[in-house]
């Protein structure tokens, strides 16, 4: 067993309102320069829909992710080294500008500089790629939402085809929900394996997948290899770019920009410990429906004394072990088993997980005149919910409805159980028992999913553990710092002016 640490994220889809604040703040922080106009490291898709880039889930077309050979080996779906070498100068498996969209702006200066006239001046749309006027805007990074979840793109949803599903197309029976997406920072990333120059790499200390801009040669095999299409090509620099999980912020104990600015507070960040020796085993399961369970199986209990000793022996810092023990990610994935990975059938072992949406079934039950919080009604209605369970299974469990149903039943049980608690009634312990939980588990899960504070949602260790050499010996140092806040106060302790618990502050000279 080789223990390694991984920063992971969970998103609660019941809370996403599709405001796109995460997308805008990410773009302002990371992709606001020339050559990145079309890049959205974070986007929010409307489901059902074709997503961004258009139809990214169609791996028969894009050849992303891994495939398992008859002998049990994993090879990139786009081919091995010889196949990569054969098309290194002409890669056919790349989304084009029409699959992303041609970014545009408007001639705002026309509105400001136009002379007085009887007619209102017009700010025409212009392409940011060519500078030419665009008379028609036909596609964008969130076109499904712009269309209001219309039928124009519904039938092209790859998940509906994969699960052989047909959904109602009348407005009173249709459904939609939002799916925020970032790079998955996978345990078994195809983009790293596909890169001929070795520019793509996975950091040892925290598992974040990055691009070495000095080594990147612009072959774009990483774009093809990523099944989530979260690697982009900068046509100005000739380099690949992608979500960095805001690692400079994480190193200072701060959450990612998308997490920090999320209006719905639906994102959770934390540390997971996993057995690196079993990554290939987990990704090589013969039956795709076993991939979710296998991935969960290689995640290690951070409170297990044997795991703690092995982690220390493998060089995992004590602060990271403590962070893993307090991780909301571990609780949502393993303790409560309500978080699921996105498309585990790609065999990349993604590390951004999702709590599936329950709200539509509650709304449907309430609209029918029944009690939308009654556990008997809710648990019976889950299999008939407006969002087909098979659709959610196609997204989060390789088509297996059992994990999705378990997650939804536990979320429904939490709603019913906590209503009795807040109404002053006696808690009905048969409700959590019906879904394999205890009352204490349900209360803890409710706190985490509903009212968790900043430090409970983001448990992030820093990479620096001490003061810079020699700084404490300086006399009359103009830099004022809080030693207790820097080294980390005792649990529960507060220091005036210190950062929130679970974070660290750095002196100005270090920053």
């Amino acid at each position: 067993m080789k223990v390694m640490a991984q920063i992971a994220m969970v998103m609660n889809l019941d809370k996403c309102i599709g405001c796109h604040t995460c997308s805008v703040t990410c773009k302002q922080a990371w992709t606001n320069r020339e050559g990145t106009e079309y890049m959205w490291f974070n986007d929010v898709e409307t489901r059902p829909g074709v997503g961004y880039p258009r139809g990214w889930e169609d791996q028969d077309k894009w050849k992303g992710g891994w495939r398992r050979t008859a002998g049990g080996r994993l090879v990139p779906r786009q081919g091995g080294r010889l196949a990569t070498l054969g098309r290194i100068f002409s890669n056919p498996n790349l989304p084009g500008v029409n699959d992303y969209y041609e970014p545009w702006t408007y001639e705002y200066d026309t509105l400001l500089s136009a002379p007085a006239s009887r007619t209102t001046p017009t700010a025409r749309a212009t392409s940011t790629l060519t500078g030419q006027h665009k008379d028609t805007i036909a596609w964008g990074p969130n076109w499904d939402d712009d269309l209001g979840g219309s039928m124009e793109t519904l039938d092209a949803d790859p998940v509906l085809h994969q699960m052989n599903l047909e959904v109602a197309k009348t407005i009173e029976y249709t459904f939609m929900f939002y799916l925020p997406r970032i790079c998955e920072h996978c345990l078994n990333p195809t983009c790293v394996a596909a890169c001929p120059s070795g520019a793509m790499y996975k950091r040892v200390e925290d598992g974040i997948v990055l691009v070495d801009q000095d080594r990147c040669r612009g072959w774009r095999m990483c774009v093809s290899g990523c099944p989530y299409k979260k690697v982009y090509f900068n046509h100005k620099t000739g380099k690949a770019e992608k979500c960095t999980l805001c690692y400079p912020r994480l190193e200072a104990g701060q959450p990612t920009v998308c997490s920090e600015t999320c209006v719905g507070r639906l994102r959770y960040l934390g540390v997971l410990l996993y057995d690196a020796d079993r990554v290939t085993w987990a990704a090589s399961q013969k039956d795709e429906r076993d991939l979710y369970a296998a991935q969960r199986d290689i995640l290690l209990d951070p409170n297990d004394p044997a795991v703690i000793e092995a982690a220390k022996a493998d060089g995992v810092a004590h602060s990271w072990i403590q962070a893993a023990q307090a991780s909301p990610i571990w609780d949502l994935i393993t303790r409560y088993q309500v978080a699921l990975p996105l498309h585990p059938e790609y065999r990349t072992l993604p590390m951004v997980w999702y709590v599936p949406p329950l709200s539509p079934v509650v709304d449907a039950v309430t609209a029918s005149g029944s009690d939308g919080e009654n556990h008997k009604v809710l648990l019976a209605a889950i299999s008939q919910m407006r969002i087909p369970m098979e659709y959610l299974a196609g997204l989060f469990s390789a088509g297996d409805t059992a994990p999705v149903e378990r997650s939804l039943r536990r979320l429904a049980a939490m709603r019913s159980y906590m209503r009795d608690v807040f109404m002053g009634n006696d808690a009905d312990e048969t409700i959590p028992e019906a879904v394999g939980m205890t009352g204490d588990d349900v209360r803890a899960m409710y706190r985490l999913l509903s009212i968790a504070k900043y430090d409970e949602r983001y448990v992030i260790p820093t990479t620096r553990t001490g003061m810079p050499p020699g700084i404490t010996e300086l006399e009359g140092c103009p830099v004022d710092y809080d030693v207790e806040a820097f080294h980390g106060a005792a649990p529960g302790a507060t220091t005036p002016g210190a950062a929130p618990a679970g974070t660290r502050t750095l002196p100005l000279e270090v920053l």
Side-chain angles (χ1 to χ4, degrees), residues 51-114:
Y52 172 78
R54 191 182 338 215
W56 62 270
E57 293 162 298
D58 186 357
Q59 302 312 327
D60 291 335
K61 177 180 181 181
W62 302 121
K63 310 297 183 185
W66 301 88
R67 66 177 179 85
R68 185 181 185 274
T69 66
R73 292 181 59 250
L74 290 181
V75 296
R77 190 182 291 268
Q78 64 174 329
R81 295 181 180 179
L82 289 178
T84 298
L85 184 62
R87 59 174 183 273
I88 199 166
F89 295 110
S90 179
N91 186 355
N93 302 322
L94 288 173
V97 67
N98 292 329
D99 297 304
Y100 292 107
Y101 74 108
E102 186 175 1
W104 73 89
T105 185
Y106 296 95
E107 294 178 327
Y108 294 110
D109 188 60
T110 302
L111 301 179
L112 301 175
S113 60

Side-chain angles (χ1 to χ4, degrees), residues 94 191 254 410 440 462 469 476:
L94 288 173
C191 59
Q254 300 175 355
R410 291 188 170 188
D440 289 340
T462 58

Side-chain angles (χ1 to χ4, degrees), residues 8-236:
M9 181 183 288
V10 168
M11 301 191 210
N12 184 359
L13 297 185
D14 242 354
K15 288 185 172 185
C16 186
I17 61 174
C19 66
H20 304 278
T21 304
C22 52
S23 300
V24 173
T25 52
C26 172
K27 189 159 190 64
Q28 286 298 314
W30 296 105
T31 61
N32 60 351
R33 61 197 180 283
E34 196 173 15
T36 64
E37 294 89 351
Y38 81 103
M39 298 184 193
W40 293 86
F41 290 173
N42 184 115
D43 70 294
V44 182
E45 299 175 0
T46 303
R47 289 309 178 114
V50 296
Y52 172 78
R54 191 182 338 215
W56 62 270
E57 293 162 298
D58 186 357
Q59 302 312 327
D60 291 335
K61 177 180 181 181
W62 302 121
K63 310 297 183 185
W66 301 88
R67 66 177 179 85
R68 185 181 185 274
T69 66
R73 292 181 59 250
L74 290 181
V75 296
R77 190 182 291 268
Q78 64 174 329
R81 295 181 180 179
L82 289 178
T84 298
L85 184 62
R87 59 174 183 273
I88 199 166
F89 295 110
S90 179
N91 186 355
N93 302 322
L94 288 173
V97 67
N98 292 329
D99 297 304
Y100 292 107
Y101 74 108
E102 186 175 1
W104 73 89
T105 185
Y106 296 95
E107 294 178 327
Y108 294 110
D109 188 60
T110 302
L111 301 179
L112 301 175
S113 60
S117 69
R118 291 180 175 274
T119 58
T120 303
T122 301
R124 295 181 65 183
T126 59
S127 169
T128 57
L129 299 181
T130 65
Q132 302 298 314
H133 287 125
K134 288 175 63 68
D135 295 326
T136 302
I137 306 298
W139 195 254
N142 193 49
W143 209 248
D144 294 314
D145 195 24
D146 297 336
L147 294 171
S150 79
M151 305 308 137
E152 185 174 337
T153 59
L154 178 62
D155 290 332
D157 187 321
V159 176
L160 291 178
H161 290 285
Q162 172 191 344
M163 300 303 296
N164 196 26
L165 286 174
E166 291 186 7
V167 296
K169 296 182 181 179
T170 53
I171 191 65
E172 62 268 26
Y173 294 113
T174 191
F175 68 92
M176 61 174 284
F177 64 95
Y178 294 108
L179 179 71
R181 291 205 307 120
I182 65 172
C183 169
E184 297 286 330
H185 296 279
C186 308
L187 295 183
N188 186 37
T190 326
C191 59
V192 174
C195 179
S197 62
M200 300 283 298
Y201 67 99
K202 186 173 178 65
R203 296 211 311 186
V204 174
E205 61 268 32
D206 53 20
I208 298 175
V209 178
L210 298 174
V211 184
D212 185 339
Q213 295 289 294
D214 291 332
R215 299 186 65 177
C216 180
R217 296 294 177 264
W219 301 122
R220 286 174 273 189
M221 295 300 170
C222 53
V223 179
S224 300
C226 174
Y228 304 97
K229 291 297 171 278
K230 279 299 176 181
V231 184
Y232 302 89
F233 180 71
N234 187 319
H235 58 89
K236 289 293 184 181

Side-chain angles (χ1 to χ4, degrees), residues 290-430:
D290 294 333
L291 289 166
Y292 156 67
Q295 183 173 355
R296 227 184 64 210
D297 193 49
I298 67 172
L299 302 180
L300 302 174
D301 185 352
N303 298 297
D304 186 338
V307 172
I308 295 173
E309 289 302 315
K312 291 179 179 178
D314 289 328
V316 179
H318 180 66
S319 60
W320 283 68
I321 297 175
Q322 286 184 315
Q325 293 170 342
S327 173
I329 309 301
W330 169 259
D331 288 340
L332 292 171
I333 291 176
T334 301
R335 181 180 175 187
Y336 309 129
Q337 298 182 25
V338 293
L340 303 170
L342 181 63
H343 287 299
E345 68 271 19
Y346 297 161
R347 301 182 182 273
T348 60
L349 306 185
M351 294 311 290
V352 177
W353 293 45
Y354 295 85
V355 178
L358 179 68
S359 292
V361 70
V362 177
D363 296 340
V365 169
T366 303
S368 69
S370 301
D371 184 354
E373 303 291 342
N374 183 285
H375 75 283
K376 293 182 179 178
V377 177
L378 270 182
L379 295 180
I382 282 177
S383 61
Q384 304 297 324
M385 64 188 296
R386 289 172 66 189
I387 301 179
M389 200 176 302
E390 291 79 8
Y391 184 84
L392 295 176
L395 277 174
F396 303 122
S397 56
D400 185 4
T401 58
V404 175
E405 183 174 6
R406 178 179 58 214
S407 177
L408 294 176
R409 287 173 62 86
R410 291 188 170 188
L411 294 172
M414 179 187 72
R415 294 179 71 109
S416 298
Y417 183 86
M418 294 307 299
R419 183 182 69 165
D420 288 341
V421 171
F422 286 116
M423 293 294 291
N425 302 325
D426 293 334
D428 185 354
E429 298 300 329
T430 62

